Amino acid sequence: AVRELGMWIGNSGNTLVYGGSKTGLMGMLAESTLSSGGNVIGVEPQFFIDKEFQYDGLTELIITKDMSERKNKMIELGDAFIAFPEVMSKVSLKQLDAPCILYNLNGYYNSLKDLLDHMICKGLSSKERQAGIYFADNIEGIKQILKDNSGI
């Protein structure tokens, strides 16, 4: 699923902005985006560079002083966010006008979805506050959310 997402990003003409790591699912996402002809911007704090965690061969690598600056830079560069839960609070407070999509592959985020629904039922949140937070079970769902929200 991660490779499929990266191939779609690369083939669709979109740019991946991510944390810059060469390992794990994020490294696999960057690799599949690049191999599909896409651009990938990595945003990596200096202490990760010092440990050589960065993916070599990115379209662009931005080095930040710390994790906070890294997160802010990725938010600044992004037009939409997939599985970026830290962005949820900015979206719910209307400080960010971009969809926050949680890639709910195999139901991974079902408990979070249930919690958000429960918060609405208890009056601790509202549908209006959660507007912009989406759950997609597959890449087609991601594509539809992006199409509905920004034409990406």
Side-chain angles (χ1 to χ4, degrees):
V2 169
R3 289 184 204 284
E4 180 184 19
L5 178 60
M7 288 173 22
W8 173 74
I9 292 170
N11 290 326
S12 68
N14 291 300
T15 297
L16 171 66
V17 177
Y18 86 118
S21 177
K22 64 183 175 185
T23 61
L25 294 176
M26 292 295 98
M28 189 182 304
L29 180 62
E31 179 184 350
S32 60
T33 301
L34 288 166
S35 68
S36 297
N39 293 317
V40 177
I41 299 172
V43 183
E44 193 86 272
Q46 182 61 54
F47 67 91
F48 281 169
I49 300 293
D50 295 343
K51 294 180 180 183
E52 299 182 358
F53 289 156
Q54 76 277 5
Y55 188 112
D56 294 325
L58 298 175
T59 308
E60 181 180 356
L61 178 64
I62 298 169
I63 302 171
T64 63
K65 65 180 179 183
D66 56 30
M67 294 295 280
S68 180
E69 184 180 325
R70 175 195 203 195
K71 180 175 71 170
N72 289 335
K73 188 63 173 176
M74 288 192 295
I75 290 170
E76 174 189 323
L77 294 172
D79 293 322
F81 302 89
I82 300 172
F84 202 153
E86 301 94 70
V87 173
M88 287 174 55
S89 62
K90 285 186 174 284
V91 169
S92 69
L93 294 171
K94 307 302 179 223
Q95 295 178 338
L96 182 61
D97 184 26
C100 176
I101 305 165
L102 290 116
Y103 195 171
N104 196 27
L105 186 63
N106 297 322
Y108 185 82
Y109 287 113
N110 283 349
S111 296
L112 178 57
K113 187 174 189 307
D114 292 343
L115 174 62
L116 293 176
D117 291 341
H118 182 71
M119 291 171 68
I120 291 171
C121 289
K122 293 295 183 180
L124 300 172
S125 187
S126 66
K127 287 186 180 189
E128 295 77 26
R129 254 192 109 175
Q130 292 183 24
I133 300 170
Y134 302 92
F135 293 82
D137 295 331
N138 52 48
I139 194 161
E140 292 306 317
I142 291 171
K143 290 177 189 179
Q144 188 61 52
I145 292 165
L146 292 173
K147 181 180 176 190
D148 291 348
N149 283 276
S150 62
I152 295 176

